[in-house]
Amino acid sequence: MTVVQKLLAFSALATVSYAACISSGSASTINAALQAGGTGAVVQLCPNAVFTISETIQFTAENQELSTQGYPTDNSRAKIIIAVGSNITSAVWGRWTSGVKVLNLQVDGNRPNAGAFGGDALVEMGGGSFGQVVSNNVITNTRSWSCLHYIGSGQDDNPCREGTVSGNTIGPCGTEGTDASGNGLWADGVSFECVNSVVSSNNITGSTDGGIVIFGSPGSQFVDNIITSSATQLGFGAINMVDPSYGGNYSNVLVKGNTIIGQGTGLFNLGIGIGNQVWSNQHPDPYFGPATITNNKFIGNVGFSIVINGWRNGLTVTGNDISGITTPSSSFADAGQCQPQVQTSFNANEELIVYQPSIAGPSDFQSDFTSVPQNATNWLCLKHPLPSAESFATLSVNGQASTVVDLAHFHVQIQGDGNVVGLDTTGGVWTVKWASGPQSSNCGADGSSCVLFFGSDGDLSVHDAVGQVWHSATSGTGKSVVFSNSSPYLQVLNAAGAAVWSIADGVKT
Ligand SMILES: *[C@@H]1O[C@H](CO)[C@@H](O)[C@H](O)[C@H]1NC(C)=O
Ligand SMILES: *[C@@H]1O[C@H](CO)[C@@H](O)[C@H](O)[C@H]1NC(C)=O
Ligand SMILES: *[C@@H]1O[C@H](CO)[C@@H](O)[C@H](O)[C@H]1NC(C)=O
Ligand SMILES: *[C@@H]1O[C@H](CO)[C@@H](O)[C@H](O)[C@H]1NC(C)=O
């Protein structure tokens, strides 16, 4: 072969192996290629290309593939990022198209810049289809409730099935807390509702709702994933088996070899929650297996590693390793607002918990499980550690907003009748420790006209729709108010930090 022949052969080979990649453009360039390509089209983006999109990229026919050319696994993976000002939440959409593949891309919902926004997940797959693959991608910063969602089909004879989610790096997804209107800002890592599928070897960091939420998904396997909390924020659960999809059917679900890590000042409230009476929203009927949860590892700040309440027809929970858990749990979390049994388990650092009367049918639980006596139905109640006292330079809370401050095992509220009350919540029993009195009948129907107020003049007061109800008479001397979970419960301090007014024990009238 001459040199020229060799070169020709090489370039012919290169042409066959590598179709032209798309080096830049918007979603419409990619969508046009998918539309023109039809069934089985492989649309490749060039390494290092960046696509800033305002329209969702949609698969249009079965067995299409969207990937980075050469299948890199580093930062040269092509990046698809949602544009600031766009109102889309899904960057890639593959519902109801069998065999489509999303490979070796970086998909960024851009929540920090584009903002949180209600809608479908950042990557939306599933529906009545089979064989969809999402592998080796980075999926991060969803604007909505989930980074990656495989939705079920709702059709018994055509379920979402045989999906693969592997080798992805996922997160952060959402943030803890709510917006000003009270909408949750949290999001799932992977939300999965397909049968006979595999979710494996994904690296999920900074999910704030569920890391992997298993929606029934009978016959599916969730193996060898690493799920790590945010370094600073609360994640509700790492792996959830708490939703009633498929009528609560979790038969032949396998959760094996996953590592769940609570890091930094972040935490997971629940490692693996199992059953219909575990999450904050309970469901009427127990879920059912047989399901197996085995050889998972729990490390660091995990409030409760495994909690089971409400299951029938088979559950095996063996070989799970809790030796790396941070103790005491109170060093990274607070259970002061939880039900009595939850507080008791928390204080005893119980990690593997079952409410045995809720289990029907065969079960095999490893020996370090605690069988708790009470039927606690909401294990999703942990908070970050709370201070024993908190100081305010200004304050304005009305009777509708109610909460003035949450302290360790202590809650201060202004009621709808204007009475300001301090309650000890130890053991899940709320005991009044102090009350400002008096009650007012001029707070308005929703209590919002009664306001606890501390302004720059240094006077602490409650006023209602008519006028002032009481005040500390510290105008000119008060500089801060301090609430504490022990006596003195409430003080107005002067500039030198000395108390000029206080509520110590009992009830002030
Ligand atoms: C998003 O923007 C498009 C184009 O401006 C508009 O047609 C659509 O109704 C908007 N959708 C939402 C959910 O706001
Ligand atoms: C998981 O991903 C994070 C970044 O999100 C990275 O820091 C970490 O090294 C990864 N872990 C593994 C085992 O790949
Ligand atoms: C649960 O799902 C499995 C697998 O799809 C199925 O064989 C079984 O019949 C289902 N059980 C019930 C009670 O629906
Ligand atoms: C636990 O309490 C819940 C809520 O009241 C109830 O629905 C459930 O049946 C109880 N479980 C058992 C085993 O009694």
Side-chain angles (χ1 to χ4, degrees), residues 56 102 252 316 333 335 342:
T56 299
V102 181
N252 298 316
T316 300
V342 181

Side-chain angles (χ1 to χ4, degrees), residues 316-320 322 352-354 356 363-371:
T316 300
V317 187
T318 53
N320 299 288
I322 55 166
L352 303 173
I353 293 163
V354 58
Q356 198 68 53
S363 63
D364 180 5
F365 299 145
Q366 61 194 80
S367 60
D368 44 352
F369 258 87
T370 301
S371 175

Side-chain angles (χ1 to χ4, degrees), residues 138 168-172 202-206 226 228:
V138 176
N168 300 288
T169 301
I170 297 176
N202 299 287
N203 175 10
I204 303 170
T205 305
I226 302 175
T228 308

Side-chain angles (χ1 to χ4, degrees), residues 176-245:
E176 74 170 89
T178 56
D179 66 15
S181 316
N183 303 307
L185 293 169
W186 47 77
D188 293 343
V190 177
S191 317
F192 200 81
E193 197 176 19
C194 303
V195 309
N196 300 334
S197 298
V198 178
V199 176
S200 66
S201 304
N202 299 287
N203 175 10
I204 303 170
T205 305
S207 56
T208 45
D209 193 344
I212 298 176
V213 179
I214 305 174
F215 289 97
S217 307
S220 289
Q221 307 194 346
F222 302 83
V223 298
D224 296 335
N225 300 286
I226 302 175
I227 307 169
T228 308
S229 77
S230 155
T232 55
Q233 301 193 351
L234 167 73
F236 290 145
I239 299 181
N240 292 9
M241 301 171 71
V242 299
D243 287 282
S245 308

Side-chain angles (χ1 to χ4, degrees), residues 436-463:
S436 70
Q439 295 164 312
S440 162
S441 50
N442 298 308
C443 293
D446 59 6
S448 62
S449 298
C450 281
V451 181
L452 175 68
F453 186 79
F454 185 73
S456 52
D457 69 341
D459 199 21
L460 180 68
S461 64
V462 166
H463 53 84

Side-chain angles (χ1 to χ4, degrees), residues 218 249 251 288:
N249 189 346
S251 67
F288 59 97

